[in-house]
Amino acid sequence: MVDFFLNRVLVENNWDQDELNTEREIVGILENRILMLLFASAECDKCWEFVPVLNDFFKRLKDPAYIEYPRLLALIYISLDKSEEQHGRFLKEMHKKVLFLAFEDPYRKELQAKFKVKDVPTVVVLRPDGSVLSPNAVQDIYRFGSECFRNWQESSELIERSFMLNEEFDNLNMRSATDPVRRLKYKTEDDKRKKRWWRLWGRGKDDNEDSESVGYNERGGL
């Protein structure tokens, strides 16, 4: 799936419209993700009706306001507009984390032919390996909302990993990373206390021996 967009320029739909044009950037944002390709046009009334539904769908899967860990999902707008003005007008209504191909990029038409898109809006859903998961998920998104992603994830065998500890570790007797240092510190303090105790005990013993020796001499000993 990443191969579809290598050597291409993807643009983020943010204020600056940042371009992603290196292999590292493209791989970083598309690899191991379910990819949605939205084919639409500003001339289509159904497309305008679908945009707020799609935006809500996308927000509930990507925005921190709705979900703690953004899902492994990417959305690319493939414009079928006839003018750049239409293209820009439609993008203004779309979520700011959506990616898109520039209007002048002829690859838009190649993708339309590749996925045999005849009607708009069409949302082609791709697995991470590039195979088609759904040729048009528009009706599923209308009907099921963000719950669609769970079915897509299971069908794609997509595994999401976080840096949180898995529940299976809850019952293990795990020490913290600083525990060895802490134990070394405490051991060192114990050793210091023991040394001080032995030193005081030895000094006391020596003092007693000296006292006994003095007393013995005073009693007439050698």
Side-chain angles (χ1 to χ4, degrees):
M1 179 262 288
V2 172
D3 295 342
F4 292 161
F5 294 96
L6 288 180
N7 302 318
R8 294 287 170 182
V9 177
L10 288 175
V11 186
E12 292 185 283
N13 191 36
N14 55 22
W15 180 263
D16 296 321
Q17 294 199 338
D18 297 318
E19 293 186 351
L20 308 175
N21 53 17
T22 68
E23 180 175 341
R24 181 177 181 180
E25 289 173 327
I26 300 297
V27 170
I29 203 165
L30 297 183
E31 189 176 39
N32 191 40
R33 282 169 171 76
I34 290 173
L35 177 60
M36 302 168 62
L37 302 179
L38 168 65
F39 294 85
S41 168
E43 289 186 334
C44 167
D45 292 337
K46 290 183 179 179
C47 293
W48 286 107
E49 293 173 4
F50 182 59
V51 165
V53 176
L54 182 62
N55 282 343
D56 183 70
F57 170 91
F58 196 64
K59 283 191 297 186
R60 292 181 183 279
L61 293 168
K62 298 292 287 186
D63 280 8
Y66 292 88
I67 192 166
E68 187 173 3
Y69 298 106
R71 299 305 185 195
L72 297 176
L73 177 71
L75 173 59
I76 300 178
Y77 172 50
I78 311 297
S79 168
L80 300 184
D81 292 307
K82 295 180 180 179
S83 72
E84 191 167 2
E85 185 274 330
Q86 289 179 336
H87 174 82
R89 187 158 56 91
F90 198 80
L91 279 172
K92 287 181 180 179
E93 300 301 318
M94 297 200 67
H95 195 279
K96 299 308 177 186
K97 291 186 179 180
V98 169
L99 305 170
F100 65 92
L101 290 169
F103 178 77
E104 62 271 13
D105 192 335
Y107 193 50
R108 296 183 298 115
K109 295 296 183 180
E110 292 182 38
L111 289 173
Q112 180 185 12
K114 178 180 180 62
F115 294 107
K116 301 177 182 178
V117 176
K118 297 180 180 180
D119 300 319
V120 289
T122 289
V123 175
V124 178
V125 183
L126 302 176
R127 296 182 179 90
D129 64 5
S131 61
V132 176
L133 181 58
S134 173
N136 191 358
V138 169
Q139 292 305 316
D140 286 342
I141 292 171
Y142 266 121
R143 184 177 179 183
F144 302 110
S146 58
E147 290 298 315
C148 288
F149 183 80
R150 183 179 302 175
N151 296 329
W152 298 347
Q153 184 177 13
E154 291 176 357
S155 178
S156 303
E157 298 182 352
L158 180 67
I159 300 174
E160 295 197 56
R161 298 179 175 88
S162 70
F163 293 102
M164 302 295 290
L165 286 175
N166 198 318
E167 291 180 0
E168 65 189 33
F169 292 107
D170 287 349
N171 295 326
L172 295 180
N173 183 21
M174 298 181 67
R175 295 187 176 94
S176 70
T178 59
D179 187 64
V181 176
R182 203 166 53 244
R183 284 187 286 117
L184 178 62
K185 175 185 175 182
Y186 293 153
K187 181 178 179 181
T188 303
E189 294 297 330
D190 289 342
D191 288 346
K192 289 179 180 179
R193 284 194 291 269
K194 289 178 181 178
K195 287 179 181 179
R196 285 198 298 268
W197 186 84
W198 278 105
R199 191 180 299 115
L200 291 172
W201 184 84
R203 184 183 300 169
K205 182 178 179 182
D206 292 341
D207 291 343
N208 289 337
E209 289 177 353
D210 291 342
S211 298
E212 291 176 359
S213 176
V214 170
Y216 179 74
N217 290 331
E218 288 177 348
R219 289 194 299 269
L222 296 175

